[in-house]
């Protein structure tokens, strides 16, 4: 998958962050690896280290998110990945319906790096905890900046309020890699 540019929602614009992009940097039978890149990130608030643990409400601070569904299906998976190393995984039977914790064989990994005025967040998610490929994908981010600004970034939005669960947000397609 190529590098995808995320757009801020008009109602949740950034203060200083100028761009957020995401790309799948690895995909095999064991791992899905995704990288988010945040430009002009000097003022981004990174949640403090909390250790690998399942946690709710991660979207209230800087958090990186994936939404995965099988093409033609209403059911989907939501993954919330925090730079604190906390994470969450949920199943939905339809649009914001039937939410349940998704079992994962072990915790996803997350690594954050800062250099210059760029923040990079890399996440590795065990494929054994994800539905079979191919997927319609929604990639998003919540970016908290000093001063309390919280911007919302996604590939695409539906009409109205920012809602990463909206069907319009599943704007990319990811197929199984050749030879797998």
């Amino acid at each position: 998958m190529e590098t995808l540019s995320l757009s801020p929602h008009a109602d949740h614009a950034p203060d200083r962050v100028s761009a957020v992009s995401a790309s799948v940097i690895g995909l095999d039978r064991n791992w899905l690896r995704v990288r988010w890149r945040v430009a002009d990130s000097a003022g981004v608030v990174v949640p403090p280290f909390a250790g690998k643990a399942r946690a709710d409400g991660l979207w209230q601070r800087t958090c990186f998110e994936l939404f995965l569904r099988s093409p033609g299906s209403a059911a989907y998976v939501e993954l919330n990945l925090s730079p604190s190393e906390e994470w969450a995984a949920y199943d939905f039977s339809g649009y914001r319906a039937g939410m349940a914790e998704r079992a994962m064989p072990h915790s996803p990994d997350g690594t954050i790096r800062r250099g210059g005025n760029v923040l990079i967040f890399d996440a590795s998610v065990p494929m054994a905890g994800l539905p079979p490929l191919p997927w319609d994908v929604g990639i998003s981010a919540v970016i908290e900046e000093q001063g309390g600004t919280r911007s919302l970034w996604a590939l695409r939005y539906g009409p109205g309020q920012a809602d990463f669960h909206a069907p319009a947000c599943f704007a990319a397609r990811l197929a199984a890699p050749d030879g797998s």
Side-chain angles (χ1 to χ4, degrees):
M1 181 184 286
E2 73 277 4
T3 298
L4 303 169
S5 295
L6 307 185
S7 300
H9 191 274
D11 294 340
H12 300 277
D15 189 16
R16 293 176 293 278
V17 170
S18 64
V20 176
S21 61
S23 58
V24 172
I25 59 172
L27 177 64
D28 59 37
R29 64 187 173 136
N30 297 313
W31 295 99
L32 166 65
R33 292 179 180 89
V34 182
R35 172 173 289 161
W36 285 263
R37 183 182 185 280
V38 181
D40 295 316
S41 64
V44 171
V45 177
V46 175
F49 175 76
K52 290 182 185 179
R54 190 183 285 263
D56 292 320
L58 297 175
W59 54 268
Q60 296 173 2
R61 312 258 338 252
T62 297
C63 179
F64 301 91
E65 302 188 1
L66 285 171
F67 292 80
L68 310 172
R69 73 172 180 209
S70 297
S73 176
Y76 61 95
V77 173
E78 175 185 3
L79 298 165
N80 302 153
L81 305 158
S82 173
S84 70
E85 290 197 7
E86 294 172 302
W87 60 276
Y90 306 101
D91 284 317
F92 289 85
S93 58
Y95 173 70
R96 292 194 173 272
M99 182 177 147
E101 281 192 1
R102 181 170 189 84
M104 295 297 280
H106 53 84
S107 298
D109 293 321
T111 305
I112 192 160
R113 294 173 289 161
R114 282 186 144 157
N117 205 11
V118 174
L119 179 148
I120 302 285
F121 181 73
D122 288 339
S124 297
V125 181
M127 287 294 289
L130 301 176
L133 287 159
W135 302 317
D136 290 334
V137 180
I139 300 178
S140 52
V142 176
I143 306 295
E144 180 184 5
E145 295 182 69
Q146 294 168 356
T149 299
R150 226 178 42 168
S151 56
L152 304 180
W153 299 77
L155 285 174
R156 190 176 302 150
Y157 296 97
Q161 298 181 61
D163 182 357
F164 296 156
H165 294 253
C169 292
F170 292 83
R173 173 72 53 93
L174 189 59
D178 291 337
S180 62

